[in-house]
Amino acid sequence: MAPNTTAIEVRRYKPQTSKGTPLVARGSITLFLAAAGSKQLAALGKELAKGATGKPDPTLDKPSKTGMRVALKHGDVVLAEDVVIPGDGRVVRLVLPYNGGELGADGLRLSASGDVAVIAAKHEPTLSSIEKATLALVPEKLRHYNLGVALPGGIALNNDEERRKQEEERQRQEAEHARQEQRAAQAEAQAEAQADRAEARAEQREAGGRFEIHLRDITLETLTPSLSAAAMLGLRRNTLL
């Protein structure tokens, strides 16, 4: 039987209190998946709609060995594959790093071997004015830079392979769209981005973990919009991990 493929609507999640842990991490699009008719997923959907917070539920990330299998794509990029959704209504969570930019025209699409329900919510990162302006310039065909592959937890063990495939695709796109001088500038900007991350980690230690990460303006001015989007996505991934 051919898998069912459906488009996924992504709702906005905005926590209504600073207490507790956000149900969707800032700088991510998180998918909650379960067998159709799951009461647990329905209850979770109501909490998300209210902007509720709570404690992390480790059962959401516990892989199951049997059940329906799903795959997730953003355009032609595979974000997760062979994810097992148990048939007893338990919820599986997929966390995708997200830099705040627009998704591709086709959005997110889920392929499932059975009747699977999904709730997707985004918790947008805080962006500087130049970051917003940069993301707005990312071409439609390169918007896959705005969303990363699923992080470990509740996903298939071959996620590292999918991450490798996406990185190869990025490198191919860069070779096609970046000129020689842009690549030279990229090397310089990457060094600055590494300094940014080191500085951000120091700020995190000093502030007790409550801080926002941004690329420096000079870094964004040096890179093309698409490469800037990729660098911003890298910061989001590092923060989530």
Side-chain angles (χ1 to χ4, degrees):
M1 179 182 296
N4 301 319
T5 301
T6 57
I8 298 174
E9 179 183 355
V10 181
R11 65 175 68 173
R12 186 184 182 193
Y13 170 77
K14 186 176 182 180
Q16 297 302 306
T17 176
S18 59
K19 298 180 180 180
T21 301
L23 300 180
V24 177
R26 182 179 291 278
S28 79
I29 291 180
T30 299
L31 277 66
F32 302 91
L33 306 104
S38 168
K39 294 182 179 180
Q40 184 180 356
L41 183 63
L44 182 57
K46 293 179 180 179
E47 294 298 300
L48 287 167
K50 293 189 298 184
T53 59
K55 296 181 179 179
D57 185 352
T59 63
L60 294 176
D61 293 327
K62 187 176 181 181
S64 177
K65 296 182 179 180
T66 59
M68 297 167 287
R69 296 182 179 272
V70 302
L72 179 68
K73 297 181 71 174
H74 176 213
D76 293 330
V77 179
V78 177
L79 302 179
E81 190 173 36
D82 206 28
V83 180
V84 180
I85 308 300
D88 58 7
R90 284 179 294 158
V91 179
V92 173
R93 174 174 52 195
L94 296 180
V95 180
L96 314 174
Y98 173 56
N99 65 13
E102 294 289 332
L103 299 186
D106 292 337
L108 291 174
R109 303 191 70 83
L110 185 76
S111 298
S113 63
D115 198 358
V116 174
V118 57
I119 296 175
K122 64 180 178 180
H123 190 173
E124 297 170 345
T126 302
L127 299 174
S128 66
S129 58
I130 191 172
E131 286 174 330
K132 291 180 181 178
T134 298
L135 290 175
L137 295 175
V138 176
E140 155 68 27
K141 62 183 177 181
L142 296 179
R143 286 182 181 172
H144 60 271
Y145 283 93
N146 294 333
L147 190 63
V149 297
L151 298 178
I155 59 176
L157 297 179
N158 65 349
N159 190 55
D160 288 340
E161 176 67 14
E162 297 307 325
R163 185 157 49 242
R164 182 187 64 78
K165 290 179 181 179
Q166 187 186 44
E167 181 60 26
E168 290 177 352
E169 174 63 17
R170 286 182 180 174
Q171 292 175 358
R172 185 184 70 80
Q173 292 285 1
E174 290 171 11
E176 292 177 356
H177 297 279
R179 300 178 179 178
Q180 291 295 331
E181 60 268 29
Q182 289 172 330
R183 287 200 290 267
Q186 179 192 1
E188 179 182 352
Q190 285 177 338
E192 292 184 8
Q194 290 177 350
D196 286 342
R197 289 193 289 270
E199 181 179 341
R201 285 193 292 269
E203 291 177 0
Q204 183 183 27
R205 289 193 294 270
E206 293 176 2
R210 306 183 71 86
F211 75 112
E212 295 292 341
I213 298 179
H214 301 279
L215 287 180
R216 294 175 180 173
D217 290 359
I218 189 173
T219 301
L220 295 170
E221 292 168 356
T222 301
L223 292 174
T224 63
S226 56
L227 295 180
S228 296
M232 293 165 65
L233 183 64
L235 290 182
R236 298 264 61 88
R237 172 176 286 277
N238 290 340
T239 302
L240 291 168
L241 287 173

